[in-house]
Amino acid sequence: MPKGYWIARVDVRDAEGYKDYVAAAKLAFDRFGAKFLARGGEHEKAEGPGRGRNVIIEFDSLATAHDCYHSPEYQRAAAIRQKVAEGEIVLVEGV
């Protein structure tokens, strides 16, 4: 079965508030077995406007990635993130 991934691109407006999001999101990530492949760090804007923070998270399947995103735990964390950052998240099936 192909893996599932979250690809998140985020501009953080409030670094202290973002720490609250990270702590809250950990509950969902632990529950659904998230494996971080990239989390922030150095990056190069090769095309397009880019974002300040880029994250790739691996899950056992696209269904698991979907369930994590829509879980009550993550939706509580997302509400925090949306107050302190702007960005986008896409869920992608691997090959």
Side-chain angles (χ1 to χ4, degrees):
M1 173 184 306
K3 300 281 187 176
Y5 300 89
W6 286 19
I7 300 173
R9 300 173 349 109
V10 180
D11 285 329
V12 177
R13 292 187 304 268
D14 175 354
E16 286 303 310
Y18 197 78
K19 290 177 185 178
D20 295 335
Y21 158 72
V22 170
K26 185 178 185 317
L27 298 172
F29 294 147
D30 287 349
R31 177 178 167 204
F32 290 94
K35 179 181 176 185
F36 284 81
L37 303 179
R39 184 180 347 196
E42 294 295 319
H43 65 279
E44 176 184 340
K45 297 176 190 174
E47 290 186 32
R51 295 273 186 183
R53 184 171 177 81
N54 301 282
V55 180
I56 302 171
I57 309 170
E58 181 181 82
F59 294 88
D60 287 340
S61 67
L62 182 59
T64 304
H66 173 274
D67 291 347
C68 182
Y69 182 82
H70 293 284
S71 70
E73 297 92 340
Y74 188 74
Q75 288 305 301
R76 282 191 289 276
I80 296 168
R81 178 182 42 78
Q82 291 163 356
K83 292 177 185 173
V84 299
E86 181 177 330
E88 52 273 333
I89 298 174
V90 294
L91 311 183
V92 179
E93 184 176 60
V95 293

